[in-house]
């Protein structure tokens, strides 16, 4: 496992629960991952170092969690060293690494997405903002750790964000039409040709309750989506995932790994908001909490072009909710170094498990070491029960001036989320 977040902790937890997996190693991992896997102090951004570690350990599969190592070519280096790797090549990871490239692929594949203009100059941006009108959507073309998108009614703020992106060497922005409607994340496993969808989830990107404040990497998630249309997964596979995988193969850069389809269900139909080339965080935490069949063989099948032969996935008939506990200051500069308590007490609550992200050991004390610190997961027979369980777990956590949202999955539980009929 390459990475050190709560998503990687969720993946490691699911892999260690799979009887087909003998052992799990992580580079570099974190204190929570260290409870289940052997940790190696290897830079996840160094393709040669990751490949050398995989060869030295003789592992049967490398799983790359975050996008930055994928864009840096870690999966290519691992495969070149003869080790199967779950994660796209650098060329295929451009679906996430460049929003302009993703738009070009979607246009070629006929995939429904927001109308957009890719701009190198400020006057192109100004023209596109007029063309699409408010609310304005301005996206940094490159990777920005979830902070590259500004959605605003304020034209001056939209232009200022564009200027900041354009001022960087090689800076480009994508300006697009605003998509109105509930968002869904669907992870689709791909082996270059075939696709296997997981179950949909919804995440909460804004830092504050009621979707207020700045965007974050994600403050919580839930699955299933009781309000979503029954044919949603089939529709995403047919109109989004398979055409995209076909187009990437046609270009000679087949996509193998997980295609994260970020979607908006608008009155005019489903539209792609974004593609990512890796599992989402925190949606992975809730999706994997519901997966009953083994993860190891599934990821290996995707990595080795054998998804078509893989048996159907089995899902628990349960719901899962995760609430992220973040440091004070996040998503700005987070306060770190504070003791984190209550992880064991939270896990003593039936149906709770705690996944770690920004944590570290200081002597023998678990301390905060990043913006998103923990992802507390609750499972239950339905969404209301899973939500109550997750918050019962959060109540056990101690972290000075921590912040968490109190409304994760609340609207869905109360029947306040609905999908347009199309
Ligand atoms: P992205 O990094 O492209 O997923 O954008 C981050 C978030 O910004 C998305 O999850 C949406 O909430 C919002 N967003 C992005 N594009 C649009 C759009 N065209 N219309 C409305 N909201 C958007
Ligand atoms: N959940 C948002 C992301 O992983 O980008």
């Amino acid at each position: 496992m390459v990475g050190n977040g709560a998503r990687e902790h969720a993946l490691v937890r699911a892999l260690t629960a799979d009887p087909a997996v003998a052992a799990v190693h992580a580079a570099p991992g974190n204190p929570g991952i260290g409870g289940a896997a052997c940790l190696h102090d290897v830079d996840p951004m160094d393709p040669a170092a990751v490949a050398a570690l995989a060869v030295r350990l003789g592992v049967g599969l490398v799983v790359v969690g975050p996008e930055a190592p994928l864009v840096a070519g870690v999966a290519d280096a691992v495969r070149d060293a003869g080790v199967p790797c779950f994660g796209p090549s650098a060329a295929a990871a451009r679906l996430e690494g460049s929003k302009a490239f993703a738009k070009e692929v979607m246009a070629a594949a006929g995939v429904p997405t927001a109308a957009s203009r890719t701009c190198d100059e400020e006057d192109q941006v100004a023209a596109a903002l007029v063309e699409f009108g408010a609310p304005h959507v301005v996206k940094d073309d490159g990777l920005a750790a979830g902070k590259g998108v500004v959605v605003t009614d304020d034209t001056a703020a939209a232009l200022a964000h564009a200027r900041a992106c354009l001022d960087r060497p090689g800076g480009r922005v994508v300006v697009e039409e605003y998509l109105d409607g509930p968002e869904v994340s669907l992870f689709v496993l791909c082996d270059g040709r075939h696709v296997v969808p997981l179950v949909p989830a919804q995440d909460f990107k804004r830092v504050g309750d009621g979707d207020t404040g700045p965007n974050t990497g994600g403050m919580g998630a839930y699955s299933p989506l009781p309000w979503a249309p029954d044919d949603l997964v089939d529709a995403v596979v047919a109109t989004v995932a398979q055409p995209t995988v076909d187009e990437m193969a046609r270009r000679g850069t087949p996509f193998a790994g997980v295609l994260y389809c970020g979607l908006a269900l608008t009155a005019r139909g489903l539209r792609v908001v974004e593609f990512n080339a890796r599992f989402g965080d925190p949606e992975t935490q809730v999706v994997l909490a519901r997966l009953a069949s083994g993860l190891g063989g599934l990821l290996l099948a995707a990595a080795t072009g054998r998804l078509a032969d893989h048996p159907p996935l089995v899902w628990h008939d349960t719901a899962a909710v995760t609430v992220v506990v973040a440091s004070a200051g996040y998503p700005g500069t987070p306060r770190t170094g504070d003791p984190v308590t209550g992880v064991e007490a939270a896990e003593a609550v039936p149906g709770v498990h705690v996944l770690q992200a920004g944590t570290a050991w200081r002597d023998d004390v678990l301390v905060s070491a990043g913006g998103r610190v923990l992802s507390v997961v609750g499972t239950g027979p339905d969404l209301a029960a899973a939500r109550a369980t997750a918050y019962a777990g959060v109540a056990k956590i101690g972290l000075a001036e921590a912040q968490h949202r109190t409304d994760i999955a609340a609207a869905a539980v109360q029947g306040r989320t609905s999908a347009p009929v199309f």
Side-chain angles (χ1 to χ4, degrees):
M1 173 61 53
V2 177
N4 66 353
R7 162 188 50 208
E8 287 75 32
H9 193 175
L11 287 159
V12 166
R13 185 175 181 272
L15 288 169
T16 52
D18 181 349
V21 176
V24 181
H25 295 263
N30 65 35
I33 294 171
C38 183
L39 304 188
H40 300 269
D41 189 14
V42 164
D43 179 2
M45 289 299 291
D46 183 340
V50 173
L53 176 67
V55 169
R56 182 163 67 74
L57 295 171
V59 298
L61 176 68
V62 171
V63 179
V64 182
E67 61 275 19
L70 292 167
V71 171
V74 166
D76 306 76
V78 170
R79 275 192 283 269
D80 287 348
V83 181
C85 186
F86 180 84
S89 65
R94 280 188 77 207
L95 274 182
E96 172 163 5
S98 166
K99 296 203 187 272
F101 175 74
K103 286 290 187 187
E104 182 195 314
V105 170
M106 283 189 266
V111 170
T113 185
S116 69
R117 299 280 174 263
T118 297
C119 309
D120 306 288
E121 313 267 353
E122 206 176 314
D123 47 358
Q124 297 170 326
V125 174
L129 293 177
V130 171
E131 179 185 357
F132 295 126
H136 303 298
V137 182
V138 179
K139 302 185 171 187
D140 194 339
D141 179 46
L143 289 186
K147 293 166 193 163
V149 177
V150 163
V151 180
T152 178
D153 284 326
D154 179 347
T155 307
L159 270 174
H161 179 60
R163 204 173 298 124
C165 299
L166 291 174
D167 277 350
R168 281 199 285 280
R172 276 202 300 189
V173 299
V174 173
V175 178
E176 57 180 49
E177 72 176 316
Y178 178 77
L179 298 173
D180 197 9
E183 288 185 38
V184 172
S185 302
L186 182 68
F187 304 149
V188 181
L189 301 184
C190 310
D191 68 2
R193 280 195 303 155
H194 304 103
V195 305
V196 172
L198 303 187
V199 291
Q202 189 176 52
D203 79 339
F204 294 74
K205 289 206 169 68
R206 302 280 184 150
V207 74
D209 279 357
D211 294 328
T212 54
N215 265 329
T216 68
M219 293 299 288
Y222 67 94
S223 176
L225 312 179
W227 49 269
D230 290 339
D231 64 350
L232 177 67
V233 171
D234 291 345
V236 175
V237 166
T239 65
V240 175
Q242 191 67 59
T244 300
V245 166
D246 292 347
E247 172 64 15
M248 293 299 283
R250 196 190 62 75
R251 291 171 179 236
T253 51
F255 188 94
V258 55
L259 181 65
Y260 166 142
C261 302
L263 308 152
L265 307 193
T266 77
R268 291 179 294 142
L270 72 86
R271 298 281 185 276
V272 174
V273 174
E274 64 165 340
F275 281 142
N276 293 316
R278 38 85 192 167
F279 285 104
D281 187 344
E283 298 97 311
T284 301
Q285 289 88 303
V286 289
V287 169
L288 293 183
R290 299 183 56 214
L291 181 65
S293 44
L295 183 65
L298 178 61
L299 299 186
L300 184 61
T304 54
R306 290 185 293 105
L307 270 183
D309 305 329
H310 194 274
L313 307 187
V314 183
W315 297 94
H316 293 295
D317 191 16
T318 54
V321 172
T322 190
V323 178
V324 169
V325 177
S327 302
Y330 180 74
T333 306
R335 165 176 154 163
T336 57
D338 293 303
V340 179
T341 61
V343 170
E344 277 182 23
E347 293 200 317
V349 177
V352 171
H353 62 272
V354 178
L355 302 167
Q356 299 190 23
T359 59
W361 291 118
R362 191 176 62 205
D363 302 322
D364 281 338
V365 178
L366 189 69
V367 296
S368 57
R372 291 188 292 172
V373 179
L374 302 175
S375 183
V376 179
V377 184
T379 56
D382 57 29
L383 216 46
R387 173 176 146 77
T389 300
Y391 279 105
V394 170
K396 304 287 185 193
I397 301 297
L399 172 63
E401 293 182 40
Q403 33 170 354
H404 68 263
R405 281 185 62 159
T406 65
D407 63 348
I408 304 301
V413 166
Q414 293 157 11
R416 287 187 284 114
T417 306
S418 61
V421 179
F422 47 75

